[in-house]
Amino acid sequence: MMKHRRLRKETAHLEITAFINLIVVLVPFLLSTAVFTRLAVIDLSLPAQSSAVLEQLKVDNLQLEIVVRAEALEVGDRLGGLIQRIPASEKGLDLASLATLVQQLKTRFPDKLEASILAEPETSYDVIVQVMDVVRSGHMAQGNKVVKTELFPNISIGDAPIRTR
C-alpha cells in the first residue's frame, strides 16, 4: 500500500486593507454630498359640517371661508354669504388686498381662530400655501409698532363649490 502524502494548504488570509481605504474615503464623501432636507409640516383639517343649530343662532359668529378661484378670491362667511370678492390682476391673485381684509375681519372677531380655504381642482399648491400664509398670520399695528400677529391659524382645506352659470 502506498502512502499518500497530503499537502498541507495554508489558509488564505483575507486582504481587506484596500477595502478599508475605500470606505475611509467614500464615507466622508457621501456624507458631504448628501442633501439634508428640512421638512415643513402644516397642520390641516377638513371643513366641519355646518349643521349645528346652536352655532347658526349666534349672530356674531364668523365662519370665514376663502374660495380660491383662477380669476378671484371670494372671502365670505359660511352662514352670512359673500363679504368681498377680490378680482385677480394680470400678475395673479391679489394677496395684499386679502391680507388687509383678513386683518380687518380679525379686529372685528378677535376670538375667532378658524378659517376654511376652498380651492378649485386646478389651483396650484403654491397658490394655496400663499393664501394659507396670508390667512394664518399678518402684521398689525399695536400702538406705534407694527407687530407680526396670529390671525386665523386653524385652517381647514376643502374643494371650492362648483359655480352655477
Side-chain angles (χ1 to χ4, degrees):
M1 196 161 141
M2 219 163 59
K3 286 187 176 182
H4 290 290
R5 190 171 178 202
R6 288 192 175 160
L7 295 175
R8 287 194 176 174
K9 294 183 182 176
E10 286 189 31
T11 56
H13 294 286
L14 196 57
E15 185 59 46
I16 60 169
T17 308
F19 180 72
I20 291 175
N21 288 340
L22 175 71
I23 296 299
V24 166
V25 172
L26 192 61
V27 168
F29 173 74
L30 291 176
L31 286 175
S32 66
T33 59
V35 177
F36 296 103
T37 59
R38 186 176 148 249
L39 186 64
V41 177
I42 300 173
D43 292 327
L44 300 174
S45 60
L46 294 175
Q49 294 286 348
S50 61
S51 62
V53 176
L54 293 176
E55 293 251 352
Q56 292 180 5
L57 294 177
K58 295 179 185 174
V59 177
D60 290 335
N61 187 18
L62 174 71
Q63 293 183 5
L64 182 62
E65 283 187 343
I66 296 104
V67 180
V68 181
R69 301 201 187 274
E71 70 280 352
L73 291 166
E74 298 171 355
V75 180
D77 183 9
R78 183 176 300 155
L79 303 175
L82 185 67
I83 296 172
Q84 184 176 349
R85 186 173 193 274
I86 304 171
S89 65
E90 56 274 348
K91 295 178 183 176
L93 296 174
D94 190 1
L95 296 176
S97 296
L98 176 65
T100 305
L101 179 60
V102 170
Q103 288 173 3
Q104 291 171 359
L105 289 171
K106 186 62 177 182
T107 57
R108 283 187 52 208
F109 302 98
D111 296 332
K112 283 310 254 179
L113 300 175
E114 298 83 20
S116 296
I117 297 177
L118 308 175
E120 290 182 324
E122 59 272 357
T123 306
S124 73
Y125 179 73
D126 187 42
V127 169
I128 294 172
V129 171
Q130 288 176 13
V131 171
M132 287 171 59
D133 288 343
V134 168
V135 172
R136 185 179 300 116
S137 64
H139 295 84
M140 296 181 79
Q142 289 183 348
N144 56 356
K145 285 198 260 181
V146 176
V147 180
K148 186 172 183 172
T149 58
E150 188 175 70
L151 298 173
F152 299 96
N154 299 340
I155 296 177
S156 301
I157 296 285
D159 290 333
I162 299 171
R163 269 180 281 175
T164 54
R165 294 181 189 209

